[in-house]
Amino acid sequence: MPPEKPLKILIVDDEPLARERLRVMLGDIAIQLATEVVGEAGNGLEALTFLRQYPVDVVLADIRMPGMDGIELAGHLGSFEKSPAVIFTTAYDNYAVQAFDLNALDYLLKPVRTQRLLTALQKIPGGPPPDAALLSTIGREVRGTGRTHLSCHERGRLLLVPVSEVLYFKADLKYVTARTAEREYLLDEALTHLESEFAERFIRLHRAVLVAKSALAGFEKAAGDDAEAYGWALLRGVPEKLPVSRRLWAPAKALVTEARLL
Amino acid sequence: MTSIRHFPATHPLPDWRNFGVMLRILLGINALALLAALAQSPDLAGWLGRYVELAAVVEPWLLLCLGLLALLRDALWRLPLRTGQAVVLLLTGGLAFGLYGYWQSLAVGDAGSVWRAALLALAAAGIMLAYFELRSRAFFPAQAEARLAALNARIRPHFLFNSLNAVLALIRARPQQAEEALESLSDLFRAAMRDPAELVSLADEIALSKQYLELEKLRLGERLAVDWQIGAVSLDLPIPPLMLQPLLENAVYHGIEPAPAGGTVRVSIEQRGAELAIAIANPTAGQLQHAAGNQMAVLNIRERLALYYDLEARLEIEAGDHHYEVRIILPCRQKSR
């Protein structure tokens, strides 16, 4: 048998001992399968930072991690040019395990068995990574909230936009833009998905606009017969005004009044 | 060994020194007085006035009875149930007879018959005794114990499997640490499988909690810091088992694990007069600690407190944006019956 190039692996887990265990096991199966652990990361964000510089073949990712969990990490990996395969690990997570079984995603239960790890690495699919929309749905079910970051490609680079910093989303003909206090980002997302995923944080003002509830500063009625909007919303931190449609005027105003009373 | 079998709700003759029992008697007798006032007054307008007149007679008698019964509690419990109940009836009836007669001789109060007063007092006391007997049947020890067993806090599978995984990682490199971890894990499981009706000493519960936190530290490393503040408390105080550990587990699971940099869990235990106050606080990473798992553990402990202490213990929650705190206040009973 010709010697194959070892599989490059990144281990992602917030528990140092769990990472150590996987590393030792990979050493144990070295005779059957050559692997090389090129790095370790404590959560999804660290993993993405690492992967921008050092591409790997396989990411072993824990599901429950602080900062950014494994499911969200896998979603962002899908937008890499050459995305690595992801094998999830989890100690116990009923929802995740059910969702993964349903959608035929591979996972390893911790404590992981050596044989199971070997099998999973040997049958790594070469095809496209799991669908990002599917991962975002599963992730939402598992953690109960939306993603922590959105990905944005700029000149071949992946940028991560923290959802907590987004003031509003605006849909144009082709793209959705996210506005933070500093700048705008072009996203490959659908406004309706963003609306349902981040329903706790954002509210719709207009067919094409979602605004962060915390960013709303006030409202003003449009002068005369403005075709584009019934009124305008003023924001904290940025000068531009956002259009509000007639149908959404009352609920949006009620929200701001309510927040002032609190 | 102190156990739930000795707790106030489970004896047909109530514990007159228990706050919950006193409150129930005070409310019960006054409700009866309200009814009597309604029966006596010709219209609704006179009802309250009549009640106030009645209360002037009833209240001194009631307080006197409660005081006397609290004094005689242990002697009454030693009697067979029916004899004990008869003594209580005689005592309350007799007191009413004597008190009422005394007031008549001073020419205060209404000029009703002394015998009528005694009979009414007997009836009221009889109703309360019947209530407590029925209540003790509803709280029959076996039933209370079964309920407790069902409620007994279970150790999270998430914690178990992650701990086992950590131990597996230790076995080759640091076998001694692996042994200690397995010993702690087995202590924790022994505690979880123990008879939930038996009380444990405060010292034991603290030791168990420390073992649990050591296991978590193995996994989380420096992300988990714990600040223990143990005031001047008697460490042999009996408390229900697994009051502290499940709350610490919540604090770690919801407060420390979701934070990339970790945080500090603060535990304070102090004695305030006749009460033991336990507080467990953790930072929250901006997200609220209202996950279903957390709610369950807290409700569970609240219900167990009610089974052990009736109205005398309470559990309070303070949930802020960045801070979550659970406080348990229990009566210090060196040896409850």
Side-chain angles (χ1 to χ4, degrees):
Chain A
M1 212 164 71
E4 285 179 47
K5 268 197 349 198
L7 272 181
K8 286 187 174 174
I9 294 183
L10 172 70
I11 302 175
V12 194
D13 197 305
D14 58 321
E15 296 180 20
L17 284 175
R19 299 198 295 263
E20 193 178 322
R21 164 99 179 126
L22 281 174
R23 203 184 254 277
V24 167
M25 290 171 77
L26 287 170
D28 289 350
I29 59 170
I31 303 166
Q32 290 106 312
L33 183 76
T35 55
E36 180 195 349
V37 178
V38 290
E40 292 184 8
N43 64 44
L45 273 177
E46 282 179 33
L48 285 173
T49 314
F50 181 90
L51 289 169
R52 270 184 214 146
Q53 286 192 307
Y54 311 98
V56 300
D57 301 308
V58 183
V59 176
L60 292 171
D62 186 25
I63 290 181
R64 206 182 119 96
M65 286 185 294
M68 182 193 287
D69 64 26
I71 300 176
E72 186 175 342
L73 166 64
H76 292 304
L77 286 180
S79 58
F80 271 53
E81 211 166 290
K82 188 178 167 297
S83 53
V86 181
I87 300 174
F88 295 102
T89 61
T90 182
Y92 180 88
D93 206 327
N94 250 342
Y95 292 124
V97 163
Q98 276 172 15
F100 281 32
D101 280 337
L102 268 178
N103 296 288
L105 294 175
D106 207 6
Y107 62 88
L108 300 171
L109 284 176
K110 288 195 271 186
V112 180
R113 283 178 165 269
T114 318
Q115 190 54 46
R116 189 67 191 81
L117 176 67
L118 179 62
T119 321
L121 286 172
Q122 278 170 338
K123 62 159 197 198
I124 285 171
D131 183 38
L134 171 69
L135 283 169
S136 109
T137 317
I138 296 179
R140 231 162 87 204
E141 271 172 40
V142 171
R143 69 181 93 88
T145 58
R147 288 167 285 174
T148 58
H149 293 74
L150 299 165
S151 33
C152 157
H153 291 274
E154 249 178 35
R155 288 174 241 112
R157 283 189 62 217
L158 172 79
L159 299 180
L160 291 173
V161 188
V163 176
S164 56
E165 287 176 16
V166 176
L167 302 173
Y168 65 84
F169 296 107
K170 201 167 176 182
D172 292 325
L173 286 175
K174 267 183 93 176
Y175 296 101
V176 170
T177 42
R179 176 76 155 104
T180 65
E182 288 86 37
R183 50 164 292 189
E184 285 189 335
Y185 298 88
L186 282 185
L187 306 178
D188 186 20
E189 303 268 355
L191 206 62
T192 43
H193 285 169
L194 293 171
E195 185 183 14
S196 65
E197 181 169 356
F198 304 111
E200 271 180 32
R201 207 179 177 93
F202 291 87
I203 176 177
R204 198 180 266 268
L205 288 184
H206 184 270
R207 188 170 37 80
V209 176
L210 283 180
V211 68
K213 295 176 188 170
S214 57
L216 276 175
F219 292 92
E220 58 183 44
K221 269 259 171 74
D225 275 343
D226 195 319
E228 195 189 342
Y230 182 70
W232 299 93
L234 310 177
L235 302 179
R236 270 181 249 281
V238 286
E240 58 262 35
K241 300 172 186 174
L242 295 174
V244 187
S245 70
R246 177 188 297 271
R247 190 171 57 84
L248 298 164
W249 176 258
K253 262 192 99 162
L255 189 92
V256 171
T257 326
E258 203 177 289
R260 283 217 187 105
L261 289 177
L262 285 176
Chain B
M1 182 77 70
T2 344
S3 146
I4 191 178
R5 290 173 200 92
H6 309 285
F7 271 85
T10 59
H11 194 283
L13 263 191
D15 177 357
W16 319 97
R17 294 178 199 171
N18 179 297
F19 169 72
V21 168
M22 287 191 210
L23 192 69
R24 287 192 169 89
I25 293 177
L26 284 170
L27 289 176
I29 296 289
N30 276 293
L32 287 172
L34 259 175
L35 271 180
L38 181 63
Q40 286 179 0
S41 83
D43 49 36
L44 282 181
W47 180 13
L48 218 63
R50 182 67 200 132
Y51 169 69
V52 171
E53 285 171 38
L54 262 182
V57 184
V58 168
E59 264 23 273
W61 164 74
L62 182 55
L63 294 177
L64 210 62
C65 284
L66 275 177
L68 208 62
L69 287 170
L71 274 177
L72 295 176
R73 181 189 71 175
D74 295 338
L76 285 169
W77 279 344
R78 277 194 287 274
L79 298 172
L81 174 61
R82 295 295 164 212
T83 322
Q85 284 174 332
V87 171
V88 172
L89 283 177
L90 270 177
L91 211 78
T92 48
L95 263 175
F97 187 89
L99 263 181
Y100 205 70
Y102 176 62
W103 280 324
Q104 298 289 47
S105 72
L106 293 178
V108 291
D110 52 6
S113 148
V114 177
W115 286 104
R116 192 197 61 157
L119 265 179
L120 279 173
L122 267 180
I127 289 172
M128 289 315 291
L129 280 175
Y131 160 74
F132 280 112
E133 193 178 335
L134 280 176
R135 187 162 176 277
S136 80
R137 286 220 187 115
F139 276 90
F140 193 64
Q143 230 164 352
E145 272 176 54
R147 185 87 200 96
L148 270 182
L151 281 173
N152 200 17
R154 288 184 196 93
I155 286 171
R156 260 198 191 92
H158 167 86
F159 164 73
L160 169 65
F161 292 120
N162 273 320
S163 296
L164 286 176
N165 198 41
V167 172
L168 281 170
L170 285 173
I171 283 180
R172 276 187 235 179
R174 281 160 277 168
Q176 204 174 345
Q177 227 182 325
E179 283 171 20
E180 280 167 22
L182 279 181
E183 283 159 8
S184 296
L185 207 54
S186 65
D187 280 347
L188 213 57
F189 273 85
R190 199 186 309 285
M193 290 167 189
R194 192 171 38 206
D195 180 356
E198 302 294 342
L199 297 185
V200 297
S201 73
L202 181 58
D204 284 350
E205 181 72 12
I206 291 175
L208 186 77
S209 300
K210 286 190 169 160
Q211 277 181 325
Y212 160 74
L213 288 168
E214 281 308 310
L215 281 168
E216 290 285 33
K217 267 192 193 146
L218 201 62
R219 293 175 41 220
L220 301 174
E222 288 176 356
R223 280 165 60 205
L224 171 63
V226 187
D227 175 19
W228 285 89
Q229 305 272 354
I230 303 182
V233 288
S234 56
L235 287 170
D236 56 348
L237 209 68
I239 63 166
L242 294 179
M243 281 281 145
L244 209 50
Q245 188 272 336
L247 292 175
L248 286 170
E249 200 172 323
N250 267 344
V252 172
Y253 189 81
H254 296 284
I256 308 302
E257 280 192 58
T264 306
V265 174
R266 288 177 210 289
V267 190
S268 91
I269 301 175
E270 53 182 318
Q271 202 161 344
R272 293 189 204 131
E275 285 181 334
L276 179 70
I278 300 173
I280 294 165
N282 62 266
T284 52
Q287 62 225 121
L288 285 178
Q289 203 158 347
H290 287 313
N294 179 51
Q295 287 289 23
M296 194 140 75
V298 170
L299 289 180
N300 182 316
I301 289 178
R302 190 170 269 160
E303 194 168 338
R304 286 197 292 144
L305 282 174
L307 281 168
Y308 284 108
Y309 294 108
D310 201 3
L311 302 177
E312 286 184 291
R314 59 188 189 279
L315 184 149
E316 295 163 355
I317 291 173
E318 190 186 305
D321 277 350
H322 302 285
H323 177 87
Y324 182 90
E325 184 167 343
V326 180
R327 283 186 293 266
I328 297 178
I329 320 274
L330 348 142
C332 292
R333 290 217 203 97
Q334 209 38 262
K335 206 168 165 69
S336 193
R337 64 149 166 155

